[in-house]
Amino acid sequence: MQNSPLGDGGIMKKFLNKNFLLQTDPSQALYHDYAKEMPIIDYHCHLPPDQIADDINFKNISHAWLHGDHYKWRAMRINGIEEKYCTGNASDFEKFQKWAETVPYTLRNPLYHWTHLELQRYFDVDEVLNAKSAKKIYETCTEQLQTKEFSVRNLMRRMNIKVVCTTDDPIDSLEHHQRIKEDGFEIKVLPAFRPDKSMNVDDAAIFNDYLGKLEAASNISITSFTNYLDALKNRHDFFATMGCAISDHGVEQIYSEDYTDAEIESSFYKIRSGHNLSIEEILKFRSAMLHIFAIWDWEKGWVQQYHFGALRNNNSRALKNLGPDTGWDSIGDFPQSRSMAKFFDRLDSTNQLAKTILYNLNPADNELIATMAGNFNDGSFPGKIQFGSGWWFLDQKDGMIRQMNALSNMGLLSRFVGMITDSRSFLSFPRHEYFRRILCNLLGEEIENGELPNDIEWTGRVVQDICYNNALSYFNLQSVVSMKKEKLNHL
């Protein structure tokens, strides 16, 4: 498609051209001269480490793109596509064909941009995906995916990635991380400690089954709450030996109920005996565990991340038939401020508050979170308490802009540690480019309008910090990342 003339001498821009999302000359300069070539630190993702260890090639584009992608499944269902083409037993090409038929209907959904960015950046496919182009694009991408140049490690190399942090349960052996390290893979693949299941005491049977697995992983018999903490601490320590320096928690809200040690021990014995806890007991138990994990993180100098605000598994029939993480979650409207303030104040009052990133899912709470972070930044490190990037339903243009506007208005955008993929797909890394273009356009438009000084060099250095340098320093990754060839203007 060529540029098309419009009335009054205007020019219609080509879809996804080199200045995609960059509406002004300063925006274009910031992106092309400063942001574009910066490496990627993806400090929160769900990539399967076994696939990296094995350096697999995907069977076809459906395996790489559609398996496990609940974003696409949701769009397909909304478009009237039967479940067999999402999670069912339809063939890989049939699933791709149904996705291709859906893509034209995703106009203004970020999936439209992501889909075509990924086709361009990985496969050099400039054609728009739709029902007519599906077969050709399927064959083109699948043919490339069969080659060694498109193994998962090479897909990662293609995106100039330096570090990824996976999401790992305390019971995980981390054997795949060990294999990756022993192979000498230059992109660092580090674990992140995600102990959600160890706090999930809603169902006694499920919790006790998990404890059996924790016993095996830690080689500690769990007959008391003290044993339980010993087993979890054993795994926390083990993760540290494997290069882990980040914890991650997926919670509805930050729990901070008052409790006594005796109450928590009593609750543990109750659920260990097979009896379900009351709502009050559940909240107190979660509050205790969240506080304990935060202390351990502080002791090791880790960064703790909190993803909150998701209302999960809303469709009980789908949960029963398909299981969790299949696309039936939404934004929740949980009260956040008072409990969050209490939780962080409890840690801060004993000077045991680690570096912290807060990921908010309800945009109505953006300003709340931005101001909450400011309450506990103590000057010990730039941006110690971070308002994290737009997450899940908010990792799109509007969500990113709203998050950055709230952060700019209530804090310091310049100290922001930037974007994450939060993805299970090796083809999702153009989301970093998407974010960078939006960031550069946000700043460039304000330079164009005279709201910021026309100092491209300084603003460009700030952009580079947000894209890469801030994360490098914040997560203390200088020792694990090769610095020889990097364009690092502002460490």
Side-chain angles (χ1 to χ4, degrees):
M1 175 181 173
Q2 300 299 316
N3 288 347
S4 302
L6 295 175
D8 300 323
I11 295 294
M12 181 183 294
K13 298 177 181 177
K14 182 182 177 181
F15 174 59
L16 275 184
N17 70 2
K18 71 173 185 177
N19 291 324
F20 170 61
L21 296 176
L22 305 171
Q23 302 301 319
T24 67
D25 289 342
S27 303
Q28 293 165 20
L30 289 172
Y31 178 73
H32 293 295
D33 297 341
Y34 293 90
K36 182 178 180 181
E37 300 301 326
M38 294 303 288
I40 289 173
I41 295 174
D42 199 47
Y43 50 89
H44 174 70
C45 72
H46 297 272
L47 292 180
D50 60 319
Q51 294 182 354
I52 304 174
D54 293 335
D55 196 20
I56 69 162
N57 282 81
F58 290 105
K59 180 180 178 182
N60 52 52
I61 183 62
S62 293
H63 273 242
W65 231 9
L66 295 171
H67 287 210
D69 192 336
H70 53 81
Y71 285 81
K72 293 185 177 73
W73 295 341
R74 283 172 70 98
M76 292 167 73
R77 291 166 186 146
I78 295 169
N79 198 42
I81 302 299
E82 295 179 58
E83 191 63 35
K84 71 176 182 178
Y85 298 107
C86 301
T87 62
N89 59 3
S91 71
D92 289 335
F93 177 71
E94 287 174 323
K95 290 179 177 179
F96 185 83
Q97 180 70 39
K98 291 299 182 182
W99 169 240
E101 293 173 10
T102 298
V103 168
Y105 293 94
T106 65
L107 290 176
R108 301 201 77 242
N109 185 295
L111 285 167
Y112 197 84
H113 286 160
W114 294 346
T115 293
H116 293 101
L117 274 174
E118 291 168 20
L119 287 175
Q120 284 193 12
R121 298 299 178 263
Y122 290 98
F123 305 104
D124 294 321
V125 172
D126 292 322
E127 193 171 355
V128 171
L129 180 60
N130 54 39
K132 291 182 179 180
S133 63
K135 188 174 188 298
K136 177 183 175 183
I137 290 176
Y138 181 88
E139 291 174 349
T140 297
C141 296
T142 295
E143 181 180 359
Q144 292 181 71
L145 285 167
Q146 301 304 299
T147 66
K148 184 61 179 176
E149 289 75 15
F150 282 76
S151 70
V152 296
R153 292 192 186 185
N154 283 322
L155 290 174
M156 295 170 72
R157 290 181 176 113
R158 191 176 294 258
M159 292 294 108
N160 195 19
I161 299 163
K162 295 299 180 184
V163 180
V164 296
C165 296
T166 57
T167 305
D168 310 279
D169 191 277
I171 66 173
D172 289 345
S173 68
L174 305 186
E175 60 186 286
H176 305 301
H177 293 81
Q178 182 63 33
R179 286 174 53 203
I180 295 166
K181 181 179 180 181
E182 290 172 353
D183 284 348
F185 184 38
E186 70 276 11
I187 297 174
K188 303 304 177 184
V189 181
L190 305 176
F193 189 79
R194 178 79 174 242
D196 292 358
K197 292 181 180 178
S198 68
M199 293 172 50
N200 186 11
V201 287
D202 299 79
D203 185 293
I206 293 174
F207 182 72
N208 283 310
D209 179 70
Y210 178 79
L211 260 58
K213 297 174 182 176
L214 178 60
E215 286 182 319
S218 63
N219 198 29
I220 293 174
S221 176
I222 301 175
T223 59
S224 67
F225 184 65
T226 298
N227 297 151
Y228 181 53
L229 294 184
D230 288 342
L232 285 171
K233 184 62 161 53
N234 172 279
R235 303 307 295 167
H236 198 271
D237 292 342
F238 170 67
F239 270 56
T241 69
M242 295 295 292
C244 177
I246 299 174
S247 72
D248 188 63
H249 307 268
V251 293
E252 291 182 347
Q253 57 191 142
I254 306 295
Y255 305 108
S256 63
E257 300 294 318
D258 292 325
Y259 60 86
T260 65
D261 293 344
E263 287 176 319
I264 303 305
E265 290 174 2
S266 176
S267 293
F268 182 82
Y269 284 120
K270 180 178 177 180
I271 197 169
R272 200 69 172 116
S273 301
H275 302 288
N276 286 328
L277 303 182
S278 67
I279 294 297
E280 180 182 6
E281 289 170 326
I282 290 171
L283 292 176
K284 288 187 175 186
F285 191 90
R286 289 177 177 169
S287 299
M289 295 308 302
L290 208 59
H291 183 77
I292 290 167
F293 290 137
I295 297 295
W296 293 349
D297 292 346
W298 171 80
E299 289 173 345
K300 287 187 173 71
W302 285 12
V303 173
Q304 54 191 5
Q305 302 182 100
Y306 298 94
H307 290 80
F308 52 86
L311 186 63
R312 300 175 187 268
N313 302 318
N314 297 285
N315 188 320
S316 58
R317 177 170 59 89
L319 177 64
K320 179 180 178 181
N321 293 334
L322 303 175
D325 301 321
T326 52
W328 312 97
D329 310 313
S330 67
I331 293 172
D333 58 351
F334 309 101
Q336 299 289 357
S337 60
R338 191 172 298 278
S339 182
M340 188 178 296
K342 183 177 179 181
F343 177 77
F344 290 123
D345 186 61
R346 183 180 290 166
L347 293 164
D348 185 77
S349 65
T350 57
N351 197 28
Q352 293 176 302
L353 178 57
K355 293 177 184 174
T356 301
I357 306 178
L358 305 172
Y359 300 95
N360 171 48
L361 196 57
N362 189 339
D365 292 332
N366 277 349
E367 283 74 17
L368 182 161
I369 302 305
T371 56
M372 187 64 67
N375 292 334
F376 297 100
N377 271 294
D378 56 13
S380 61
F381 191 89
K384 174 183 174 180
I385 312 299
Q386 290 272 330
F387 180 10
S389 63
W391 167 55
W392 199 344
F393 293 111
L394 303 183
D395 60 355
Q396 27 74 5
K397 180 180 175 182
D398 179 66
M400 292 180 196
I401 291 173
R402 292 177 69 173
Q403 183 268 344
M404 286 191 280
N405 281 340
L407 175 56
S408 298
N409 288 331
M410 314 296 176
L412 296 181
L413 178 67
S414 54
R415 293 303 187 180
F416 183 28
V417 291
M419 187 59 180
I420 54 174
T421 63
D422 188 34
S423 176
R424 294 168 174 80
S425 172
F426 289 93
L427 301 182
S428 289
F429 287 99
R431 293 183 191 180
H432 282 264
E433 175 187 339
Y434 196 59
F435 165 81
R436 291 174 181 187
R437 287 177 178 271
I438 292 167
L439 168 66
C440 290
N441 192 61
L442 195 67
L443 294 168
E445 284 189 332
E446 294 187 355
I447 291 174
E448 182 87 352
N449 294 334
E451 298 175 61
L452 292 174
N454 186 18
D455 188 342
I456 297 297
E457 182 179 358
W458 171 253
T459 310
R461 292 170 64 183
V462 170
V463 165
Q464 289 186 326
D465 286 350
I466 295 169
C467 292
Y468 179 75
N469 299 339
N470 286 346
L472 186 73
S473 178
Y474 189 79
F475 296 101
N476 196 28
L477 293 170
Q478 294 93 332
S479 61
V480 301
V481 172
S482 172
M483 306 288 283
K484 293 181 182 178
K485 298 181 181 180
E486 305 307 338
K487 182 182 179 183
L488 303 182
N489 291 343
H490 190 50
L491 282 176

